[in-house]
Amino acid sequence: MQFHSVSEYASDIERARAMGWFRKDRQPDIWEVADDQPLGDIGAAHKIREICASAGAIAEKLAAAGGRNPAKKLAADAERYQAAIKCALEAAMNISDDAMRDVSVSQIIRLCVKVDHLKTARVLLRVIHSEKTKAELIAESPVLIDQDAAN
């Protein structure tokens, strides 16, 4: 049996901590965590807000990449963004309150606009019932006006 001094243990702990910094393991994103229970309208709205806030950083990174085909440059981030949008849309479909759903969908639309996914944003804009919410979104992002529909 070999005995170690206290300094050897400390160095092992420090070494383990330092190696932890370099690990590629990442915490799962909010949209990757499975919900065991139905959320209800308020829970779904909170989850959508959290998803949009978390995916907003990814959207900014994708938008900053710009140029030709940023999804190719940042394939992993583009995949995470798509998963976030999909999860947020699934949660929004389960919200029965029109006003709450409108607010949640408007958050998703803002996220789509950040990454210049205007086709998706315009389709989602049609889902919103509140004319006031639609007007606010269009005022924030005039690119949401569908040029084909306007003509």
Side-chain angles (χ1 to χ4, degrees):
M1 186 162 157
Q2 184 179 8
F3 293 100
H4 297 284
S5 69
V6 173
S7 62
E8 287 178 276
Y9 283 117
S11 64
D12 288 343
I13 292 169
E14 290 170 353
R15 197 171 323 138
R17 182 177 293 152
M19 293 308 294
W21 291 337
F22 297 106
R23 269 190 288 162
K24 297 294 180 186
D25 298 340
R26 65 171 180 82
Q27 293 294 322
D29 292 311
I30 184 81
W31 54 88
E32 295 174 330
V33 178
D35 291 321
D36 295 339
Q37 304 171 20
L39 296 174
D41 286 357
I42 295 172
H46 282 291
K47 184 170 183 171
I48 291 167
R49 185 176 61 229
E50 289 172 1
I51 289 170
C52 290
S54 181
I58 298 169
E60 288 173 10
K61 195 176 191 183
L62 290 172
R68 291 186 49 163
N69 208 354
K72 208 174 203 180
K73 294 177 188 171
L74 302 167
D77 284 331
E79 190 175 309
R80 289 175 60 213
Y81 165 80
Q82 290 295 333
I85 291 290
K86 181 181 177 187
C87 184
L89 288 172
E90 288 172 358
M93 289 189 320
N94 295 322
I95 298 176
S96 59
D97 182 72
D98 288 342
M100 201 173 291
R101 186 177 50 249
D102 285 352
V103 170
S104 296
V105 171
S106 69
Q107 292 170 344
I108 299 169
I109 290 170
R110 287 182 182 99
L111 186 59
C112 291
V113 169
K114 272 187 185 177
V115 189
D116 205 29
H117 285 160
L118 300 179
K119 185 176 181 180
T120 303
R122 288 177 184 136
V123 168
L124 291 174
L125 188 64
R126 293 184 211 138
V127 173
I128 294 180
H129 295 288
S130 167
E131 291 302 320
K132 181 181 177 190
T133 304
K134 281 184 186 180
E136 288 172 357
L137 285 166
I138 291 171
E140 283 177 30
S141 305
V143 295
L144 288 173
I145 298 171
D146 191 354
Q147 297 302 319
D148 295 334
N151 293 332

